[in-house]
């Protein structure tokens, strides 16, 4: 079982920061997706790829993975650069 641990990014659709302090443990797919011949939907028999576990910190997520023997890779959170400018700068 392989998994990845990452911090939930800010939603592109809203400016709020809700749930961005959570860390997520998400299992990777163990088998390829395939198209259903009748409906055309894609799917697989892998049910673990549907699971997302949330933790309050990165250390808690790593401890959970170690406790249950899950090989997990931690993805670093990219720095968020805030570009401050005045409204008047749009008309220069």
């Amino acid at each position: 079982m392989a998994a990845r641990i990452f911090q939930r990014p800010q939603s592109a659709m809203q400016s709020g920061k809700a749930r961005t302090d959570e860390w997520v443990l998400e299992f990777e797919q163990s088998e390829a997706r395939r198209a259903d011949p009748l409906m055309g939907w894609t799917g697989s028999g892998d049910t673990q790829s549907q699971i997302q576990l949330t933790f309050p910190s990165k250390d808690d997520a790593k401890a959970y993975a170690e406790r249950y023997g899950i090989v997990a890779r931690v993805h670093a959170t990219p720095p968020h650069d805030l570009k401050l400018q005045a409204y008047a700068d749009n008309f220069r």
Side-chain angles (χ1 to χ4, degrees), residues 1-4 25 27 53 62 64-72:
M1 282 191 302
R4 64 186 189 120
L25 185 139
F27 292 97
L53 302 173
K62 287 182 0 184
Y64 179 86
E66 289 174 8
R67 187 177 331 128
Y68 290 102
I70 301 168
V71 178

Side-chain angles (χ1 to χ4, degrees), residues 41-88:
W41 297 339
T42 58
S44 70
D46 181 24
T47 57
Q48 283 201 338
S49 64
Q50 301 171 5
I51 297 173
Q52 279 190 345
L53 302 173
T54 58
F55 298 92
S57 69
K58 176 173 59 172
D59 295 330
D60 291 341
K62 287 182 0 184
Y64 179 86
E66 289 174 8
R67 187 177 331 128
Y68 290 102
I70 301 168
V71 178
R73 291 180 289 131
V74 178
H75 293 271
T77 306
H80 181 69
D81 297 331
L82 190 60
K83 182 181 171 186
L84 296 175
Q85 69 180 35
Y87 179 71

Side-chain angles (χ1 to χ4, degrees), residues 34-43:
R34 59 187 180 279
D36 183 74
L38 180 63
M39 298 297 289
W41 297 339
T42 58

